[in-house]
């Protein structure tokens, strides 16, 4: 099936999730709709020296090994199992694109350094710390012989991975792509956000007048993207369509977003243009919604200008924290579920509206809502912006 | 895969043999001069970002002498095996040694693994997409394939494609004798891509570029051959080829023999240097220089492979 310009249409046929709320799409979705909060005390590394000690940590795994690889593989396996696609039929047409901040191996390196009292380096550690190694290991595990790439675009990495995977299919380079993100909590990243004073001392409260910052999380999510005609021919269940994607750079500051929202607005406009939709055709936005004063003010103003104050816009970071490179991939999965079940998750811990954030953030309770088009926003450090538009398959 | 016009390039870094004042080749002294000229902005910055920025400035200044003439939407795609991970590890060591509270605050701005792209987008006002790709020695070709695809999608007017890796103890450890690369070293290369219809003076053309993956060591050679056949389909026999891969290869990989590429061009690097992210874009520059030689023309081939499984390639054409 071809869309305008001769490009092939791209559908979602499988989803996989691991978050601090648990493993498995249906379990996590149920908890998100229930407004359950995964925030707890930081336990992954010694935390006495930190002013703020809060995080959303995934449950410990029984087997040893690199945690981010374990959870990424779990999420990918779930997505492939749901999809039912058989990549062995044409492995050279099956690829994988992973979005990440590069935590692979770093958590384990930190742990061994703390245990040994010194942080040495050898070839094995260097290989483990190379950001692309995780995708390579996943590719071997799942037999991906097409395009296999790791994209690092700060907190927008997951959306970038989805957009790149979609482009591979649309251009005819691939028929099936695993696209997603994975990151785990590291002392390095935690200290980075902590020393920039970006962390909330309590909960993450996106768009609330008294919000004070983000809560770091961790997790993994994958979507199976396929060329629509092939997916239909093999009888796959079509969960959603990836209608459009747009990305931009603020070119403004290494950590603070452009307060005017111009860069984020360009990504959003480009995504809608690519989807051949206008703002009035969108029913739900999964916000970047980190709970920081700067991001939420910028994003709230942008969404208010673009969609008006009554569009349902929630941030699941209020429940699972900011999962860094995995965040927008997890949120894309949530958009697909919203399309499937015609309901949207809440933004919890919301008590008082901020006049500078004129959005309907679905405060505290999930909401049944007819959703045909959802937008997933991701606005990362360094001014990396990406928006993806997902739509119902019918 | 559609074509892209190459309208500028630059290369530099400590592991490259100095090419003197040849156009587009930056000596280590030239990179240092750039850092000194912008020392206020670069004061706390990692060397990878400095090298990338020096190369980008060289390309942009020759293509658009004034910043006002540059297009509004320029993307920056960087291929780097390790990105800024060396600095990330250094940051952790500071935390480990002195505790989180005593880490120098300015280090926090330099910690991101993708800081090369973030910094350059701010420094040069690149408002298109910025992405860093990590695919070992094929990282640069991954960025090139992504850049061609981005132009074809009509999302931007120009794309800066860079391949950069810098010295760090990760890179040095990765390149220990007996390991896949010995020793891995510092180099960078940048290509400026525009649409063929842009009317800009051409340095050459990217006719096709792609990457894929071999799930087994034994299958990598066959995968590289398959990729190369696909890239060259319907095209004339390449006049020459650049290959980058693990260890010193005494004979041409089967892919080059199958392609009938009669020459095997060398990257002007110091002996034993394996160039990781920079390898692919540097290979493109070497091919383009050869194709520009009067009476040459035709097409050239760049192929690259990494021990972890990535393979990549590009076919380049002379400016018409």
């Amino acid at each position: 099936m071809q869309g305008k310009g001769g490009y092939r249409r791209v559908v979602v046929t499988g989803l996989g999730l691991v978050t601090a709320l648990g493993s498995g799409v249906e379990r996590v979705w149920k908890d998100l709709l229930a407004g359950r909060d995964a925030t707890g005390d930081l336990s992954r590394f010694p935390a006495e020296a930190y002013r703020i000690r809060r995080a959303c940590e995934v449950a410990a795994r029984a087997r040893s090994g690199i945690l981010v690889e374990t959870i990424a593989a779990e999420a990918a396996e779930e997505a492939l199992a749901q999809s039912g696609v058989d990549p062995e039929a044409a492995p050279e047409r099956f690829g994988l694109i992973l979005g990440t901040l590069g935590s692979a191996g770093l958590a384990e390196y930190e742990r061994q350094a703390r245990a040994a009292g010194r942080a040495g380096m050898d070839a094995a550690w260097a290989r483990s710390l190379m950001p692309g190694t995780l995708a390579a290991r996943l590719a071997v595990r799942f037999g991906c012989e097409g395009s296999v790439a790791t994209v690092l675009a700060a907190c927008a990495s997951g959306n970038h991975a989805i957009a790149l995977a979609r482009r591979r299919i649309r251009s005819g380079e691939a028929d099936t792509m695993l696209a997603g993100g994975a990151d785990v909590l590291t002392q390095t990243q935690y200290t980075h956000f902590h020393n920039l004073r970006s962390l909330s001392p309590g909960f993450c409260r996106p768009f609330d007048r008294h919000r004070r910052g983000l809560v770091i999380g961790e997790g993994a999510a994958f979507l199976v993207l396929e060329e629509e005609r092939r997916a239909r021919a093999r009888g796959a269940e079509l969960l959603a369509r990836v209608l459009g994607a747009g990305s931009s750079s603020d070119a403004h500051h290494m950590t603070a977003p452009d307060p005017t929202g111009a860069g984020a607005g360009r990504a959003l406009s480009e995504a809608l243009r690519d989807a051949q939709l206008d703002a009035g055709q969108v029913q739900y936005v999964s916000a970047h919604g980190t709970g920081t004063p700067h991001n939420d003010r910028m994003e709230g103003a942008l969404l208010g200008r673009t969609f008006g104050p009554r569009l349902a816009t929630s941030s699941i970071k209020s429940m699972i924290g900011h999962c860094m490179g995995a965040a927008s991939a997890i949120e894309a999965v949530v958009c697909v579920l919203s399309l499937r079940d015609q309901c949207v998750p809440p933004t919890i811990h919301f008590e008082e509206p901020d006049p500078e954030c004129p959005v309907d953030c679905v405060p505290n309770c999930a909401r049944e809502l007819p959703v045909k088009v959802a937008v997933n926003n991701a606005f990362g450090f360094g001014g990396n912006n990406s928006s993806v538009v997902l739509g119902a398959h019918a | 895969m559609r074509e892209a016009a190459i309208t500028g390039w630059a290369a530099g870094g400590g592991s490259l043999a100095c090419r003197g004042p040849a156009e587009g080749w930056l000596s280590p002294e030239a990179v240092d001069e750039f850092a000194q000229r912008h020392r206020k902005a670069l004061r706390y910055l990692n060397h990878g970002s400095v090298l990338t920025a020096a190369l980008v400035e060289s390309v942009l200044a020759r293509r658009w002498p004034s910043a006002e003439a540059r297009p509004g939407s320029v993307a920056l795609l960087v291929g780097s095996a390790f990105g800024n991970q060396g600095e990330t590890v250094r940051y952790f060591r500071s935390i480990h040694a002195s505790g989180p509270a005593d880490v120098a605050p300015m280090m926090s701005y330099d910690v991101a693994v993708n800081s090369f792209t973030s910094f350059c987008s701010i420094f040069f006002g690149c408002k298109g997409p910025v992405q860093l790709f990590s695919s070992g020695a094929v990282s640069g070709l991954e960025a090139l394939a992504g850049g061609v695809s981005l132009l074809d999608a009509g999302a931007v007017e120009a794309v800066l494609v860079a391949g950069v890796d810098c010295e760090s103890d990760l890179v040095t450890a990765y390149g220990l004798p007996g390991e896949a690369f010995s020793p891995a070293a510092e180099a960078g290369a940048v290509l400026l891509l525009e649409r063929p219809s842009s009317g800009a003076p051409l340095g050459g053309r990217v006719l096709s570029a792609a990457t894929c993956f071999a799930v087994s060591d034994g299958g990598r050679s066959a995968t590289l051959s398959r990729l190369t056949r696909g890239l060259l389909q319907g095209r004339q026999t390449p006049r020459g080829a650049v290959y980058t891969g693990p260890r010193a290869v005494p004979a041409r990989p089967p892919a080059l023999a199958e392609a009938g590429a009669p020459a095997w061009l060398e990257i002007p690097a110091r002996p034993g240097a394996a160039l990781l992210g920079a390898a692919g874009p540097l290979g493109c520059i070497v091919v383009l220089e050869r194709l520009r030689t009067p009476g040459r023309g035709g097409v050239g081939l760049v192929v690259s492979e990494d021990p972890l499984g990535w393979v990549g390639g590009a076919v380049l054409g002379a400016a018409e």
Side-chain angles (χ1 to χ4, degrees):
Chain A
M1 281 185 153
Q2 291 194 321
K4 191 176 175 186
Y7 288 115
R8 309 191 305 165
R9 285 186 178 156
V10 178
V11 293
V12 180
T13 58
L15 305 170
L17 265 187
V18 176
T19 71
L21 283 176
S23 298
V25 167
E26 301 307 329
R27 176 181 168 175
V28 173
W29 181 228
K30 183 178 166 197
D31 281 347
L32 287 172
L33 292 177
R36 192 175 144 224
D37 187 5
T39 307
D41 293 331
L42 181 62
S43 69
R44 190 60 57 77
F45 49 82
E48 306 79 29
Y50 294 88
R51 273 181 305 110
I52 294 169
R53 290 169 263 192
R54 306 280 283 166
C56 293
E57 299 178 359
V58 301
R61 260 60 185 165
R63 55 176 187 270
S64 63
I66 297 177
L67 178 62
V68 71
E69 183 175 344
T70 300
I71 63 173
E74 283 180 25
E77 267 171 14
E78 184 186 16
L80 284 170
Q82 181 182 25
S83 167
V85 69
D86 175 21
E88 286 184 17
E92 71 279 4
R93 305 282 299 168
F94 174 43
L96 180 151
I97 303 194
L98 175 76
T100 181
L101 260 64
S103 63
L106 187 55
E108 287 71 23
Y109 177 78
E110 292 174 353
R111 188 164 53 242
Q112 70 87 27
R114 285 190 293 269
R118 58 180 289 275
M121 185 57 63
D122 60 25
W125 277 120
R127 195 172 300 122
S128 178
L129 287 163
M130 189 164 74
T133 299
L134 175 57
R137 288 189 174 143
L138 294 173
V140 170
R141 186 174 186 142
F142 297 109
C144 306
E145 295 192 355
S147 172
V148 172
T150 302
V151 60
L152 298 105
C155 316
S157 297
N159 261 5
H160 276 267
I162 293 167
L164 285 165
R166 171 178 175 258
R167 201 178 297 143
R168 298 281 192 275
I169 295 173
R170 274 162 61 86
S171 68
E173 294 170 61
D175 296 323
T176 308
M177 296 289 295
L178 265 171
D183 264 310
V184 293
L185 194 58
T186 64
Q187 188 174 14
T188 306
Q189 286 292 349
Y190 191 89
T191 306
H192 171 57
F193 284 105
H194 183 274
N195 286 7
L196 288 173
R197 298 187 174 267
S198 300
L199 300 182
S200 170
F203 300 104
C204 176
R205 322 168 68 113
F207 304 115
D208 185 276
R209 187 171 191 159
H210 302 291
R211 63 190 184 275
R212 292 179 66 188
L214 56 94
V215 172
I216 298 274
E218 56 186 6
F222 273 99
L223 298 84
V224 175
L225 305 188
E226 284 188 73
E227 192 271 318
E228 182 171 344
R229 183 181 54 83
R230 285 176 175 270
R232 286 186 183 278
R234 70 176 184 85
E237 181 187 3
L238 308 189
L239 300 173
R241 280 207 182 106
V242 186
L243 297 176
S247 56
S248 71
S249 178
D250 281 355
H252 175 71
H253 190 270
M254 289 295 270
T255 56
D258 178 353
T260 70
R266 279 197 305 278
L268 181 54
S269 298
E270 171 64 21
L272 289 171
R273 185 200 66 79
D274 191 33
Q276 300 175 53
L277 296 170
D278 58 51
Q281 293 173 278
V282 176
Q283 291 82 39
Y284 171 64
V285 172
S286 172
H288 188 56
T290 54
T292 63
H294 294 307
N295 176 82
D296 291 7
R297 185 184 309 122
M298 179 278 293
E299 186 175 15
L302 171 65
L303 294 177
R305 283 198 303 275
T306 307
F307 298 107
R310 281 188 285 278
L311 185 79
T313 299
S314 56
S315 170
I316 63 169
K317 290 183 176 77
S318 59
M319 294 178 272
I320 60 169
H322 186 340
C323 300
M324 298 171 285
S328 47
I330 294 170
E331 289 148 15
V333 169
V334 165
C335 284
V336 174
L337 295 168
S338 295
L339 290 163
R340 183 190 75 179
D341 294 349
Q342 301 288 281
C343 58
V344 299
T347 304
I348 66 172
H349 303 304
F350 187 82
E351 292 179 357
E352 186 177 344
D354 180 351
E356 291 188 307
C357 303
V359 295
D360 169 9
C361 69
V362 192
N364 302 314
C365 288
R367 187 185 301 167
E368 289 187 0
L369 185 71
V371 182
K372 286 189 180 172
V373 177
V375 170
N376 186 34
N377 281 341
F379 306 135
F381 267 21
N384 283 277
N385 305 309
S386 182
S387 295
V388 170
V389 182
L390 295 140
H393 64 85
Chain B
M1 180 67 64
R2 275 69 166 178
E3 290 186 21
I6 301 171
T7 58
W9 67 68
S15 70
L16 296 184
C18 182
R19 299 283 287 254
E23 184 182 351
W25 292 85
L26 270 67
S27 65
E29 291 75 25
V31 175
D32 287 343
E33 185 276 331
F34 168 85
Q36 187 61 22
R37 192 157 26 96
H38 299 287
R39 60 185 175 279
K40 191 173 174 192
L42 304 179
R43 193 168 36 190
Y44 300 109
L45 209 56
N46 62 82
H47 189 65
S49 293
V50 173
L51 177 58
T52 308
L55 296 171
V56 167
E57 184 192 67
S58 172
V59 169
L60 290 178
R62 280 178 283 126
R63 173 67 179 97
W64 296 290
S66 77
E68 290 72 31
R70 283 181 215 155
S73 175
V74 177
L76 173 62
L77 276 56
V78 176
S80 179
F82 285 94
N84 196 35
Q85 194 77 303
E87 289 300 308
T88 304
V89 169
R90 194 165 77 92
Y91 184 76
F92 168 70
R93 288 182 177 139
S94 295
I95 299 167
H96 183 61
S98 59
D102 291 335
V103 176
M106 288 311 294
M107 280 190 84
S108 292
Y109 290 95
D110 200 34
V111 166
V113 178
N114 68 322
S115 69
F116 303 174
T117 52
S118 299
F119 172 74
C120 285
S121 77
I122 296 165
F123 197 71
F124 296 107
C126 298
K127 296 190 175 179
V130 291
Q131 296 161 338
L132 189 140
F133 294 97
S134 170
S135 306
V138 180
S139 301
L141 287 175
E142 187 71 61
L144 179 65
V148 174
S149 175
L150 201 53
L151 274 176
D152 178 56
V156 293
E157 296 165 75
V159 182
L160 289 156
V161 169
V164 178
D165 266 291
C166 279
E167 288 179 3
S168 70
D169 60 348
L170 270 80
V171 170
T172 302
Y174 190 69
L176 286 173
E179 291 299 331
F181 295 91
S182 175
E186 171 187 294
V190 173
L191 302 167
L192 177 62
L193 306 185
E194 296 180 67
R195 294 201 200 97
S197 58
S198 70
L202 292 191
R205 295 169 296 146
V206 181
L207 302 176
S208 53
T211 65
C212 58
F213 194 84
V215 299
S216 68
D217 258 359
R220 202 163 66 233
S221 188
T223 301
L224 186 56
S225 290
R226 171 169 55 82
L227 177 84
T228 309
R229 279 196 299 275
L231 290 171
L232 287 171
Q233 191 173 24
R235 303 194 190 281
Q236 56 190 287
T237 302
R239 287 189 170 273
V242 170
Y243 166 81
T244 55
R247 299 195 176 95
V249 179
R252 291 189 302 176
L256 295 188
E258 290 167 16
W264 184 5
L265 310 172
E266 298 284 343
I267 291 179
R270 299 193 191 287
L275 301 170
L276 296 176
L282 263 172
C284 292
I285 291 172
V286 167
V287 165
L288 289 171
E289 285 189 326
R290 297 298 179 95
L291 293 179
R292 279 171 90 184
T293 306
R296 300 290 287 182
V299 304
L301 177 65
V302 178
V303 293
S304 196
E305 60 177 323
D306 185 276
L308 284 181
W310 295 285
V311 299
V315 176
L316 304 162
E320 289 177 338

